[in-house]
Structure formats: C-alpha cells, structure tokens
Amino acid sequence: MKIIILGAGQVGGTLAEHLSGEANDITVVDTDSDRLRDLGDRLDIRTVQGKGSFPTVLRQAGADDADMLVAVTNSDEVNMVACQVAYTLFHTPTRIARVREAAYLTRAGLFDNDAIPVDVLISPEQVVTNYIKRLIEYPGALQVIDFAEGKAQLVGVKAYYGGPLVGQELRQIREHMPNVDTRVAAIFRRNRPILPKGDTVIEADDEVFFIAAKAHIRAVMSELRRLEDSYKRVVIAGGGHIGERLAEAIESRYQVKIIEMNPVRCRHLSETLDSTVVLQGSASDRDLLVEENINDADIFLALTNDDEANIMSSLLAKRLGARKVMTIINNPAYVDLVQGGDIDIAISPQLATIGTLLTHVRRGDIVSVHSLRRGAAEAIEAIAHGDAKSSKVVGKMIEDIALPPGTTIGAIIRDEEVLIAHDDTVIESGDHVILFLVDKKYIRDAERLFQVGLTFF
C-alpha cells in the first residue's frame, strides 16, 4: 500500500515506524528537516520537506498514485486542507485527518465529500479520554480494551503475590471459576512476552492480559490480584481538552475536582461542567493539595501537556496520600521509565492514537487494532467472511488454522454471544475474531487470514 503521512511528529513518526516494516511504501512530509532526517536514517521510507497542504508538495510525495493520505500535523487546518487537495486534485481513495478542535468536530455534515472530504476523523483527545475512563471503571487494571462495542473486553493486570492463581497453572482457571469462561491472551514477565499455554505458571508481578465477556471481567481480576474498591473521588490536574472531556464524562458518577492554572480556562470549565469543582492553581503546589485533602483522593490524574509538570505533581500527590496516580507522558520513550514506581500508570496519547489509525490502514476486514504494553504487542479484531472454499478461517476449528508464530485467538463474538476460544471452536462467517500477536512482524500474515479469495486449493 502506498501511504503518505503528513507530519513527522510523535504520532506521524510512530505510525511510519509501525508501517514501514510491513511491506508498505511510506512517504513522510514535514516542514522540519531535522525530524525528517532522523526518521529517514532509522526507517526505510521516503521523506519530503514542505507544507503538506500544498499541491506541489503532495505531488512530490507521490499523491498521483497514493492509496491513502494520513494527515497528522499539529494543525487541524493543514490536515483538513490537505485532505481537500488530495480529494480534488489527486483523487486519493482514502483520507484520514487528525482534528483536535471540538468546534470542528461538533458540526454535523462538515466532513463529507460535499464539504471537507475526510473519510476518517481521528480525535486524540477523545481516544485518550475513553482510554482513561475505562481505567477508572476497573480499579487495578493497567489497560482495558473494548471489542465488539464492549461485549468483550481485554484487561491487563499485574498479578500480585497471594492472588488465588499466582503460582498455579493457567489450566486451573476453570477449576477456580467453573461458571466463568476466560482466556489469558498474553503474559509479560520481566518485560518479555510469554505465549500462554495450559501448563504456564503465573508468577507474582507478571503482567497478565486476559479476555472475557464484560460481565465476567471483575471476577477474573479477583483471581489475579486483590480486588480494589471502586473509585469515588477523582482529582484532575489540567483543565485542557482531555481534562474537560474526562470530567464531563464521569462527573455524574464520581466526585470530580479539576486544578487548572489559567483563570480564563477555569471560568470556561466552571460554566461548562455541571458538578465538577474547578480550582485555580498549580497541581505541584503542596499547600493547595493539602488544603484540598489530596490524601482522600482515590485517583489523581495529571493531564497537562508538560511531562515534567505531570511527573512532579503525580509524585507529590502520591507522597501526600493519593491512593492511585496516573499521568499522561507525551514522549513515549519515557513511559516505561515512569510507570510502575510511585506512578501507577503512565499513558502515551501517541500510542493510544496509533491503534485507531492502524485500524484504518490494515488489510482485510479489520474492525480495531490496539497496542498492548505501549506497543510491545497488538490485539486485532477482524471479521471472518466467505465460506470454507474462499476463506482460510471460516468452517475451521481453531486448532486447524495456520496461525503465524506468536499469534493466538482469544475470543469470538458471534451476534450477541461472546465465545472464549478453544481448540475445537469452529469459526463461522460473520464472526468477530480477536487475535493477539506478541511479534508484530507477523501482522501481515494474520491479516491475510481474513482476506477472502475466489477459492483456496
């Protein structure tokens, strides 16, 4: 596939890194020559320096025969105009744009071929808001991913010493929970992936990713760690787009406070939100946190654009007694360094957004793509089509499917039913199949399983 990526920042660069090793023809466009040089030295891609919305720059990047344009510059306006130019002058089949400003996103009919021709809108703020909201709903989870509109969920947890399943083989899950069907999809032990088998023994501090029907998630979590009490009091440091959207999404169920420096922004938040308490000040102000009883907070979320400020305020909140702290880290390279000590969870907006972008780039009928452990592995939701003659998976038992190395099928969603995958489970046309890949170099092979041919011999 020939793909033009506009923007060599963290999202554009990470996307190029994901796609360049998967037999795609990638060209990255940016005005910053240093960023382009860095990407070009590391990846097998073409680079073009210039403004991505200019017709001459797009033609130089190969827009005449490109299959897809992905516009992820820092400017909403550049991204939208680039899609318009690609549609009008070059007839680019698929156009994806990152648009942050809510003023654009709330206007019905703005993004279609008769107005601004964008096929897929990516809103990083909304993606990250949804990501954090799911973590709040499941205290103790490291990552929560929805499949088939939430019918099934994948949850990552750290196995704690003393958990019922710690020190036991995976096959004993069924004995512990005879009425709950689940499957462990991946285990990371000391940062290395382990492909789970029936005789795999769970160790304390393993990061365990399991899939189950949504109604069974808490029961499975309780087998791996002490089940935490639900959160009630939430403090958000940073009243930007993500802070505002998160407060709006959760304020009906939780007691929410926002700490924001900018007085104009504080006034806007006070007028917009219903029950959220808005405080003007710095989240790294010890006196303010003490005055606001941060020691009673169930969760402290640092959501500003400043990594250093987020880290400092999170560490302070933890030391003052906040039960759980999470922070946004905009530089993905720092995420693994920060998470796991005093800071419980570090969230990379770039890696969260990449999954949404990859969903629309993958071949085959791919519904969603999600990065596990900050990009170390992937979970894919694909739809099976065809019949036994035209498909490599339909009509076959899972044990008979030639899965790529390091790939497992975790679950199948058939209409409203969640079927946890077993060797004798037969895949039917229309099934949503959840796959896990601990080695991303086999992604193309996994996708080809779900491409329907005229016949297979």
Side-chain angles (χ1 to χ4, degrees):
M1 188 181 292
K2 186 171 183 178
I3 303 170
I4 299 173
I5 299 173
L6 305 184
Q10 289 173 338
V11 170
T14 305
L15 182 63
E17 193 169 348
H18 273 75
L19 297 177
S20 62
E22 300 174 12
N24 292 297
D25 180 356
I26 306 295
T27 301
V28 178
V29 178
D30 201 285
T31 56
D32 189 323
S33 59
D34 291 335
R35 284 180 177 176
L36 293 176
R37 189 180 306 111
D38 177 62
L39 280 178
D41 289 344
R42 292 190 294 111
L43 307 175
D44 182 18
I45 60 172
R46 289 182 62 234
T47 61
V48 173
Q49 185 177 359
K51 195 166 184 177
S53 57
F54 287 180
T56 52
V57 173
L58 285 175
R59 175 166 276 122
Q60 186 182 352
D64 285 311
D65 60 350
D67 299 300
M68 179 180 292
L69 177 78
V70 183
V72 288
T73 75
N74 288 326
S75 167
D76 289 351
E77 290 74 20
V78 168
N79 295 340
M80 292 188 289
V81 171
C83 288
Q84 180 74 68
V85 173
Y87 173 77
T88 305
L89 296 185
F90 303 109
H91 312 293
T92 306
T94 303
R95 301 160 304 281
I96 299 174
R98 178 172 66 172
V99 177
R100 287 177 160 144
E101 184 52 60
Y104 292 126
L105 299 172
T106 55
R107 307 302 296 182
L110 182 60
F111 297 100
D112 61 43
N113 289 350
D114 295 327
I116 302 175
V118 177
D119 297 302
V120 180
L121 276 171
I122 303 294
S123 171
E125 284 79 8
Q126 193 58 52
V127 171
V128 175
T129 298
N130 293 340
Y131 188 103
I132 297 172
K133 183 172 176 284
R134 288 193 294 268
L135 289 173
I136 293 173
E137 290 171 349
Y138 291 104
L142 298 173
Q143 191 169 2
V144 181
I145 296 171
D146 283 343
F147 293 109
E149 300 176 337
K151 296 183 184 71
Q153 291 183 314
L154 172 73
V155 177
V157 297
K158 178 174 281 191
Y160 273 42
Y161 181 78
L165 278 175
V166 175
Q168 301 194 43
E169 295 181 349
L170 287 179
R171 61 168 58 99
Q172 294 180 286
I173 289 180
R174 186 173 291 276
E175 297 174 19
H176 281 253
M177 299 181 294
N179 299 318
V180 173
D181 207 4
T182 186
R183 185 181 179 101
V184 172
I187 296 174
F188 289 87
R189 180 173 298 161
R190 293 180 283 278
N191 293 322
R192 299 191 59 161
I194 296 173
L195 203 59
K197 298 179 181 177
D199 59 356
T200 300
V201 176
I202 297 175
E203 296 181 5
D205 292 331
D206 281 355
E207 289 186 30
V208 181
F209 287 82
F210 67 88
I211 190 165
K214 185 175 182 177
H216 295 156
I217 293 297
R218 288 182 66 83
V220 182
M221 287 180 68
S222 68
E223 290 294 309
L224 296 165
R225 55 174 295 125
R226 181 179 58 81
L227 206 56
E228 297 186 16
D229 293 334
S230 297
Y231 299 132
K232 294 178 182 177
R233 294 168 293 277
V234 179
V235 176
I236 300 171
H241 293 309
I242 294 175
E244 179 182 3
R245 289 186 188 199
L246 181 62
E248 189 175 35
I250 68 173
E251 64 178 353
S252 63
R253 296 178 55 197
Y254 303 90
Q255 300 170 28
V256 182
K257 291 181 180 179
I258 290 182
I259 303 173
E260 167 59 41
M261 285 282 290
N262 188 312
V264 175
R265 188 67 185 168
C266 284
R267 190 158 50 249
H268 164 78
L269 293 169
S270 297
E271 294 169 353
T272 304
L273 298 169
D274 292 330
S275 59
T276 297
V277 175
V278 181
L279 306 168
Q280 184 184 347
S282 168
S284 58
D285 182 342
R286 186 182 188 280
D287 291 339
L288 175 63
L289 295 184
V290 171
E291 183 180 338
E292 293 302 324
N293 298 315
I294 196 67
N295 59 305
D296 288 335
D298 292 311
I299 183 167
F300 177 89
L301 299 154
L303 306 181
T304 76
N305 290 321
D306 186 330
D307 286 353
E308 185 175 337
N310 286 342
I311 292 170
M312 294 300 291
S313 62
S314 294
L315 292 174
L316 178 59
K318 189 74 168 184
R319 287 166 188 165
L320 290 174
R323 174 176 146 200
K324 188 71 63 79
V325 297
M326 301 184 197
T327 180
I328 280 180
I329 299 294
N330 292 286
N331 187 337
Y334 296 157
V335 174
D336 283 336
L337 298 176
V338 170
Q339 178 165 306
D342 287 338
I343 294 175
D344 296 290
I345 296 179
I347 300 160
S348 166
Q350 289 76 22
L351 291 176
T353 305
I354 286 300
T356 307
L357 285 166
L358 291 174
T359 297
H360 302 285
V361 177
R362 300 294 189 210
R363 295 179 172 90
D365 196 348
I366 305 298
V367 179
S368 62
V369 178
H370 302 275
S371 290
L372 306 182
R373 291 196 86 253
R374 288 82 70 191
E378 281 197 1
I380 297 176
E381 177 182 350
I383 301 178
H385 294 293
D387 54 29
K389 291 184 178 180
S390 62
S391 169
K392 295 178 181 177
V393 297
V394 173
K396 292 183 170 61
M397 291 192 297
I398 288 176
E399 65 179 356
D400 295 329
I401 297 173
L403 293 171
T407 303
T408 59
I409 293 176
I412 294 165
I413 294 92
R414 183 173 297 157
D415 298 323
E416 298 300 311
E417 188 178 9
V418 177
L419 305 172
I420 299 304
H422 299 288
D423 286 346
D424 59 353
T425 304
V426 177
I427 294 178
E428 298 179 2
S429 184
D431 284 352
H432 287 236
V433 182
I434 314 302
L435 300 100
F436 304 93
L437 296 90
V438 295
D439 191 338
K440 294 191 295 185
K441 73 181 180 183
Y442 294 109
I443 283 170
R444 280 285 175 257
D445 296 322
E447 290 171 357
R448 290 190 192 100
L449 290 174
F450 293 87
Q451 292 176 331
V452 177
L454 294 177
T455 185
F456 292 112
F457 299 98

